Amino acid sequence: MKKIFQKWFPPVLAVVMAVWFFGNLQPPKDKDFAFNQFGQLPVVADGRLKPMDSLARDSLLEIRQVQMLDLEPWKEWYVNHKTISADEWLANVTMNPAVADEWPVFVVANPDLVSLLKLPEMNKTNSDGEHYSWNQIQPSLDTLEKENDRVEKIDSASRTAYENAIAKLHERLMLYAQLKNTIQPADADNWPAELASFEQSIPDGIAAAKAQQAGQAYNKTNFDAFAYNISRFQFMANLEPPLILPPDGTTEWRRTGDALLDAPHGKPLDNFTHDYAKMAGALAANDPEQFNSALADLRSQLVPTQSRALAKSRAEVFFNQMEPFYNAMVIYILAGLLAIFSWFNLSESLRRSAVWLVWLAFFIHTTGLIYRMVLEGRPPVTNLYSSAIFIGWGACLLGIILEKFHRNGIGVVASSGIGFITLIIAHHLALEGDTMEMMRAVLDTNFWLATHVVCVTVGYASTFVAGFLALIYIVRGVFTKTLDEATGKSLARMIYGIVCFATLFSFVGTVLGGIWADQSWGRFWGWDPKENGALIIVLWNALILHARWGGMIRERGLVNCAIIGNIVTSWSWFGVNMLGIGLHSYGFTDAAFFWLMSFVASQIAFIILGLLPPKYWRSLRDKTPA
Amino acid sequence: MFIRKTVEFFTSLKLTVTLLAFAIVLVFVGTLAQVDEGLYQAQSHYFRHWVVVGMHLLGRNIPIIFPGGYLIGTLLLVNLVAAHIYRFEFTRKKIGIYLAHLGVILLLVGQLATDMLAREMQMHFDEGQTRAYAESATDYELIFQNGDEVTLIPAKLLKASDELKIDSLPFAIHVKAFWKNSDLNFRAPMTQNGPPLTTNGIATSFDFVSTPETKTMDERNVPTAVIELLPPNGLTGDWVVSGWAGDDSLVEAIRNNYAGQVGPQMAQDIASKLGTMQTVTIGGKQFSFALRPVRYYEPFSLTLLKATHTVYPGTDIPKDFRSRVLLQNPRAGEKREVEISMNHPLRYNGLTFYQYQMDAGQVAQQAGRTPSSVLTVVRNPSWLTPYIGCAMVGAGLLIQFLMHLTKFVSRQQKK
């Protein structure tokens, strides 16, 4: 019985987790309004074609830092909260702002800012003291605007927390205002009716405007109504919201505002504008049937010319729902815990379960990675976000290979540990906005992204694996009795092998970067911070290898050096971006700086542990003569 | 005994490790210092010196002496070469190691050669303009022209309160002031202006002021000098010569800047006041003179046919910059069109032309400016060394790594 259990438990557990993952793939059904269908409509935002669903998720992430909106955040956590999907939120923001403006979506956590805007304090009916609605903030918009004018003049590096909060909130409100002007003017009460009357008024309006300009008598009612509409459409277009109207053969993707402004110039409005207006009217009138039929009509209009855009949107929506990186993260945690337990009771079936689970997580991780590459048409690493995903993937693969040879749970713990941490980092980087942003001119080259960037990132990943193995060595050695001589030797051999591997990739990657720079700027090496960061990794790995060959360091020296590798790599990965100089710098965030410093401090603490004499190591104490 | 110790020292792995450690610290502080000192300044201070004296880090001055980039690089090279000569024995087992280190030697030597031989220049042109020369981005020269007689004086020689005598010129030049970086303002009529710097030439229309040297990468220093021309008899007074006036692209930039404030007509007027070469008559000869970026003439020319700047739809994110140019080389009888874009430079006649900046697309169109393009022009005879070096090190490390791996795997399988 026990044997059967030991044999079958690992695969059964993996199958359970796999069922959990694949079960979530089924998209949720629309109840009345077809918001999921709405999410599949193509739109151009941030310079690329994407589904409304991605626009909704990215915007909600930027504004509220979540992908589902909790409408009642002031309720206790154990009570059932009403939550809605990002799609439903976006549909209401763009087409039914009267309702959306009541939802607590803006994060205002800074207490000074809360009091500046005279926002309600935490209570049990309409405020959790942290999330506020447009309607709650709106009365103080002028105050905010004034403060923001002042803050904008301050260099972003020398702003206080309060000033950062001002700038951030202003950015979020701007984004919200853009979204509100995507489909209809934000102040529309009954958009389909207003649109129809505008179209009707065009001939009379033009006549009145011409007469007015010529200094002749004109119909003032017609003129005022026309001028009022033109000015609000101009306002709409000037906000530069996403482009929702597909090309009609003569134009590219267009904004509603631009199309409305073109209407008096002999370019009649297309069916898409009308269908969107119908949807808006139906949503405001709470008429799901009308909404769904307008939506169906819009989709059928898109089919003949935009079938590729529709297919791409559908694919991306599927990817959004799959959430492969989140799911992989959950499984990594489980696998890591099982493997760690296996060290204590030395249970082979626990270790095997962990291996099975890591394989499953790696499979999901890989699926997500490849899916992203196909969606983007790019190599795996294009920005900081995807570098985190790829470092996790590479480290996981190395860990699996190590486990295959050593079969002692160490590879699995390294795989799941780094996989989990990097996916957490990626999750936080995703809060900055669209993670599939377009590549600026100089980066727009798949060849160098596929060679230089991938090599350097594999170099990062392997240096982290070596460092993580070193952490395992120290934790097990100092705090437990599980680091016997064989395990220690095996760990040291793994670290040495991985450092060799890391040297190869970081060196080749760094030099390829130089060659890319030579190809695009005319200089092989410019001492740019990011280049220097990569060079330090190469030099450090080379130093470890030479010190080992020269006998200057042995097992524990190697372990401590590998931990310094963690510091060096995190500096190159994130630290140099915080200097705010050079060609590679892409922004600075206070939170990132705090976490980087904490990471460095923790690594130094581990090195200090590693330097403790053997008598303080629980694993070594018994073997060394006192 | 002494010789043996010296040889042991220079071939030891301890020296390698020490030098690598020094290199890491140097690269790290050299990166941090860029915040305080600027990229170019920090590069030269830390990496292009034998010894680094004093550091500026995080707003503080640290009095310390540290080996510089040249010293560490040279010692590493000596260490590497010496160790290989001294311990070299050809075995199949070590072939990867030898190959990798040979590659590193090539990279170090190549980088040193680039450092000494490479020259970086720029070429500015509007659509329709032809250029047969490239200009230095950092160095200026003072030019005196009388008909076909041209005298060039490097700006390096202009030192405040010096007097220069040049054989080909019938006068001496007294440098009254020299500012490495400067700014200018138009002396608009009807506004409160102080007295002009001098009463001759461009100084009557513009005020020039000295400004601190720039540290950032995308700005450059524009020098200005106040000079007095001293003929054997008589006086000509003081003159201002400035990089702002002698550099066509800067004059153009000034014009664009003023066009927004005072309208295109007035801006054109201001630009021609600034850009026209100043003249002085001495001993019956008329000399035109200006302070301009050093020019390097080539036996061929490029004409900018079209500058294109595209963005992603609905955004300002640049998607592509490209310049279509006509390459004409009368000597070789060559006349062809070439496209230069980001990541696709033109290599010709030992020079490489890279797309650098561009003023084209919607913004330029709306402001009514002629589309223009700036190319970076580089002469680097050793540009191939990193390619070869990288291939050698990569191959060497790969061989070594694979040998270890196969040995490891076969040992595991035997178990």
Side-chain angles (χ1 to χ4, degrees):
Chain A
M1 183 62 202
K2 199 178 166 198
K3 264 193 181 158
I4 294 175
F5 176 78
Q6 278 172 349
K7 186 173 178 197
W8 289 103
F9 177 68
V12 167
L13 182 66
V15 167
V16 168
M17 291 310 291
V19 167
W20 168 74
F21 169 69
F22 287 104
N24 283 340
L25 288 185
Q26 198 70 3
K29 285 265 181 305
D30 283 316
K31 271 183 255 139
D32 38 19
F33 288 98
F35 291 126
N36 286 315
Q37 297 276 326
F38 169 75
Q40 291 188 0
L41 291 176
V43 49
V44 170
D46 300 313
R48 75 178 183 94
L49 188 84
K50 54 166 119 171
M52 285 281 185
D53 183 60
S54 292
L55 178 65
R57 284 168 192 261
D58 292 343
S59 306
L60 199 54
L61 267 181
E62 243 181 292
I63 292 175
R64 177 63 198 266
Q65 318 220 300
V66 287
Q67 294 198 3
M68 290 279 287
L69 181 60
D70 179 356
L71 296 181
E72 302 163 321
W74 50 85
K75 284 193 180 168
E76 276 92 355
W77 59 271
Y78 49 81
V79 188
N80 199 18
H81 292 214
K82 188 171 189 299
T83 55
I84 56 170
S85 71
D87 291 339
E88 185 173 348
W89 171 74
L90 182 69
N92 279 286
V93 172
T94 51
M95 297 184 286
N96 191 16
V99 169
D101 284 349
E102 287 291 340
W103 289 337
V105 49
F106 295 98
V107 184
V108 187
N110 185 290
D112 289 2
L113 187 53
V114 172
S115 58
L116 177 83
L117 301 177
K118 303 200 184 70
L119 295 169
E121 306 224 326
M122 182 158 62
N123 59 51
K124 294 228 161 94
T125 52
N126 73 347
S127 169
D128 65 342
E130 210 171 303
H131 301 98
Y132 296 96
S133 70
W134 172 270
N135 284 345
Q136 283 172 317
I137 295 172
Q138 203 268 336
S140 313
L141 271 186
D142 283 344
T143 322
L144 180 75
E145 200 70 50
K146 247 181 245 154
E147 275 296 90
N148 186 61
D149 285 346
R150 180 179 71 81
V151 171
E152 264 185 355
K153 293 185 192 104
I154 305 170
D155 183 40
S156 65
S158 43
R159 286 178 191 165
T160 62
Y162 161 73
E163 287 161 345
N164 273 326
I166 291 265
K168 193 83 212 160
L169 180 62
H170 189 263
E171 235 172 72
R172 289 172 175 163
L173 289 167
M174 273 304 290
L175 173 61
Y176 190 77
Q178 281 184 327
L179 295 178
K180 272 169 74 172
N181 284 284
T182 305
I183 292 176
Q184 59 177 30
D187 58 355
D189 284 328
N190 182 353
W191 178 233
E194 288 169 33
L195 181 65
S197 91
F198 166 67
E199 283 184 286
Q200 249 170 22
S201 77
I202 289 177
D204 292 343
I206 291 178
K210 274 191 180 154
Q212 193 262 358
Q213 267 175 1
Q216 297 158 352
Y218 62 94
N219 182 327
K220 191 155 181 344
T221 329
N222 286 351
F223 178 81
D224 286 349
F226 190 62
Y228 165 69
N229 267 328
I230 294 294
S231 78
R232 67 204 279 234
F233 299 157
Q234 222 136 31
F235 179 76
M236 229 180 132
N238 285 347
L239 276 174
E240 306 195 333
L243 293 69
I244 56 165
L245 303 176
D248 63 0
T250 57
T251 55
E252 292 294 305
W253 281 83
R254 289 200 302 166
R255 303 192 162 96
T256 311
D258 289 325
L260 289 167
L261 288 173
D262 278 347
H265 298 292
K267 271 202 86 84
L269 293 167
D270 55 15
N271 292 331
F272 300 107
T273 318
H274 290 121
D275 279 335
Y276 270 119
K278 267 183 223 157
M279 282 161 62
L283 187 60
N286 201 10
D287 181 350
E289 230 165 86
Q290 178 76 28
F291 180 89
N292 295 350
S293 89
L295 178 58
D297 188 55
L298 185 88
R299 286 175 59 88
S300 67
Q301 303 261 0
L302 280 168
V303 169
T305 56
Q306 296 298 322
S307 56
R308 284 189 60 156
L310 276 172
K312 187 174 180 288
S313 286
R314 255 199 312 275
E316 195 171 324
V317 173
F318 181 73
F319 178 73
N320 291 343
Q321 273 160 358
M322 175 162 65
E323 297 191 90
F325 304 124
Y326 171 77
N327 289 314
M329 201 161 80
V330 173
I331 302 174
Y332 278 136
I333 301 179
L334 199 57
L337 289 177
L338 289 180
I340 290 174
F341 288 141
S342 79
W343 292 339
F344 288 95
N345 74 356
L346 301 172
S347 149
E348 178 62 11
S349 65
L350 272 184
R351 189 193 70 81
R352 278 183 49 231
S353 309
V355 173
W356 276 82
L357 283 183
V358 157
W359 270 106
L360 175 65
F362 182 69
F363 169 75
I364 297 172
H365 198 152
T366 312
T367 312
L369 188 79
I370 293 174
Y371 207 121
R372 249 185 77 89
M373 288 167 62
V374 173
L375 276 180
E376 268 199 293
R378 293 276 180 202
V381 184
T382 53
N383 53 17
L384 215 48
Y385 169 83
S386 47
S387 74
I389 302 268
F390 191 69
I391 288 176
W393 182 83
C396 184
L397 179 62
L398 280 176
I400 288 177
I401 295 171
L402 288 177
E403 187 64 33
K404 183 114 189 87
F405 288 120
H406 292 271
R407 296 177 185 282
N408 51 12
I410 289 170
V412 175
V413 172
S415 281
S416 47
I418 301 181
F420 170 69
I421 294 167
T422 51
L423 291 181
I424 284 269
I425 293 173
H427 173 77
H428 282 94
L429 290 170
L431 298 179
E432 303 285 315
D434 190 353
T435 61
M436 292 194 238
E437 69 214 319
M438 303 313 287
M439 309 300 292
R440 287 177 176 273
V442 71
L443 299 175
D444 187 10
T445 148
N446 282 350
F447 177 73
W448 292 112
L449 287 173
T451 51
H452 156 64
V453 180
V454 167
C455 276
V456 165
T457 319
V458 170
Y460 284 8
S462 42
T463 314
F464 276 136
V465 171
F468 200 89
L469 294 174
L471 294 181
I472 294 177
Y473 183 99
I474 286 182
V475 171
R476 287 182 68 172
V478 175
F479 298 112
T480 75
K481 291 188 173 176
T482 60
L483 188 79
D484 50 38
E485 206 184 320
T487 315
K489 272 212 171 115
S490 135
L491 262 167
R493 253 208 315 275
M494 286 189 223
I495 293 172
Y496 175 76
I498 298 283
V499 169
C500 289
F501 183 79
T503 313
L504 167 66
F505 275 90
S506 51
F507 182 90
V508 172
T510 306
V511 178
L512 282 175
I515 291 176
W516 182 8
D518 184 62
Q519 286 282 325
S520 57
W521 295 309
R523 67 197 195 16
F524 171 72
W525 195 260
W527 301 106
D528 168 275
K530 199 79 180 177
E531 292 170 343
N532 290 352
L535 177 63
I536 292 179
I537 298 182
V538 177
L539 291 173
W540 181 249
N541 280 322
L543 184 145
I544 298 180
L545 293 181
H546 287 93
R548 183 91 177 106
W549 295 330
M552 280 161 265
I553 52 172
R554 293 176 197 285
E555 198 172 294
R556 282 209 289 153
L558 179 70
V559 165
N560 279 326
C561 283
I563 297 180
I564 300 177
N566 276 344
I567 298 178
V568 165
T569 312
S570 62
W571 162 254
S572 170
W573 191 16
F574 280 104
V576 292
N577 300 349
M578 295 171 188
L579 290 175
I581 41 172
L583 297 157
H584 288 85
S585 61
Y586 17 161
F588 160 87
T589 45
D590 286 341
F593 184 72
F594 169 78
W595 284 108
L596 180 69
M597 284 301 129
S598 312
F599 177 73
V600 170
S602 71
Q603 300 305 298
I604 292 174
F606 278 114
I607 293 168
I608 292 171
L609 283 180
L611 291 173
L612 288 177
K615 63 177 176 179
Y616 296 107
W617 290 53
R618 282 192 70 185
S619 290
L620 301 184
R621 167 165 71 189
D622 308 336
K623 288 155 217 157
T624 42
Chain B
M1 185 64 192
F2 172 75
I3 294 178
R4 221 189 68 201
K5 281 223 154 152
T6 317
V7 169
E8 259 173 25
F9 174 76
F10 277 108
T11 57
S12 72
L13 269 171
K14 274 202 177 107
L15 179 66
T16 316
V17 170
T18 314
L19 287 173
L20 285 173
F22 271 111
I24 290 170
V25 174
L26 182 78
V27 173
F28 180 69
V29 294
T31 313
L32 267 192
Q34 292 180 10
V35 178
D36 290 281
E37 300 183 33
L39 184 65
Y40 284 121
Q41 180 71 30
Q43 252 185 55
S44 120
H45 184 174
Y46 292 88
F47 307 125
R48 301 205 172 157
H49 271 89
W50 292 90
V51 180
V52 179
V53 182
M55 294 182 180
H56 310 275
L57 295 177
L58 308 171
R60 282 194 194 84
N61 281 330
I62 299 162
I64 190 175
I65 293 182
F66 202 81
Y70 280 168
L71 185 59
I72 295 176
T74 313
L75 284 177
L76 262 177
L77 197 61
V78 169
N79 177 230
L80 207 58
V81 174
H84 278 78
I85 294 173
Y86 189 64
R87 296 208 214 102
F88 186 83
E89 46 174 321
F90 189 83
T91 56
R92 220 165 52 91
K93 253 168 68 185
K94 281 193 168 175
I95 188 153
I97 296 283
Y98 288 133
L99 195 60
H101 284 111
L102 216 57
V104 172
I105 293 174
L106 192 64
L107 279 171
L108 283 172
V109 173
Q111 206 44 34
L112 197 68
T114 301
D115 221 54
M116 296 194 300
L117 303 175
R119 186 198 300 144
E120 195 174 308
M121 299 158 282
Q122 288 184 346
M123 188 179 272
H124 303 252
F125 40 22
D126 290 352
E127 271 182 12
Q129 284 183 327
T130 302
R131 290 274 180 272
Y133 58 84
E135 294 174 323
S136 165
T138 49
D139 299 335
Y140 285 78
E141 61 192 6
L142 184 58
I143 172 180
F144 284 93
Q145 198 169 1
N146 167 34
D148 286 344
E149 278 175 43
V150 174
T151 308
L152 296 170
I153 306 162
K156 273 179 235 147
L157 300 180
L158 303 177
K159 290 195 184 104
S161 71
D162 256 17
E163 203 170 298
L164 292 169
K165 284 202 182 71
I166 313 280
D167 289 343
S168 57
L169 295 176
F171 50 84
I173 302 163
H174 176 210
V175 183
K176 290 192 143 179
F178 184 81
W179 305 323
K180 279 192 177 158
N181 194 13
S182 61
D183 203 352
L184 88 170
N185 263 309
F186 180 57
R187 292 172 63 84
M190 324 286 283
T191 49
Q192 292 291 322
N193 290 312
L197 260 177
T198 76
T199 50
N200 291 322
I202 50 174
T204 56
S205 308
F206 297 90
D207 282 329
F208 291 87
V209 287
S210 166
T211 54
E213 280 182 62
T214 175
K215 288 173 179 174
T216 58
M217 263 189 59
D218 35 350
E219 284 175 31
R220 49 197 258 215
N221 289 312
V222 183
T224 294
V226 183
I227 55 172
E228 189 184 5
L229 305 178
L230 302 167
N233 42 24
L235 288 168
T236 66
D238 296 350
W239 298 82
V240 169
V241 286
S242 172
W244 286 104
D247 185 339
D248 293 341
S249 60
L250 288 181
V251 173
E252 185 64 18
I254 297 274
R255 193 175 70 118
N256 291 334
N257 189 18
Y258 275 106
Q261 300 173 25
V262 297
Q265 197 65 47
M266 182 79 174
Q268 177 59 42
D269 210 40
I270 295 174
S272 70
K273 276 201 177 104
L274 183 65
T276 313
M277 261 180 143
Q278 307 179 84
T279 56
V280 63
T281 308
I282 293 173
K285 282 184 178 170
Q286 196 192 44
F287 291 91
S288 326
F289 60 97
L291 185 65
R292 69 179 194 194
V294 174
R295 287 183 183 178
Y296 301 94
Y297 282 87
E298 299 296 337
F300 60 94
S301 72
L302 295 185
T303 310
L304 181 62
L305 300 175
K306 182 138 190 58
T308 330
H309 170 191
T310 42
V311 292
Y312 288 102
T315 67
D316 306 324
I317 307 172
K319 185 177 195 303
D320 188 31
F321 299 113
R322 57 184 59 233
S323 300
R324 190 159 187 89
V325 296
L326 176 68
L327 168 74
Q328 280 173 297
N329 188 346
R331 270 192 228 168
E334 237 178 315
K335 186 176 181 181
R336 60 186 166 105
E337 288 184 17
V338 199
E339 198 126 289
I340 300 170
S341 65
M342 285 277 172
N343 296 317
H344 296 281
L346 160 70
R347 291 190 196 273
Y348 186 75
N349 210 15
L351 294 175
T352 316
F353 297 83
Y354 303 88
Q355 183 63 57
Y356 180 46
Q357 288 166 332
M358 180 162 277
D359 183 33
Q362 262 201 324
V363 185
Q365 213 174 37
Q366 276 163 4
R369 297 199 290 267
T370 316
S372 64
S373 178
V374 184
L375 305 178
T376 303
V377 185
V378 176
R379 177 182 293 285
N380 180 9
S382 58
W383 69 276
L384 261 177
T385 51
Y387 292 72
I388 303 167
C390 175
M392 284 166 69
V393 180
L397 291 179
L398 193 66
I399 292 170
Q400 209 60 29
F401 184 73
L402 287 179
M403 279 188 343
H404 275 295
L405 195 67
T406 42
K407 212 165 74 189
F408 174 77
V409 172
S410 63
R411 215 185 316 148
Q412 287 285 320
Q413 276 164 349
K414 263 180 219 156
K415 274 190 201 167

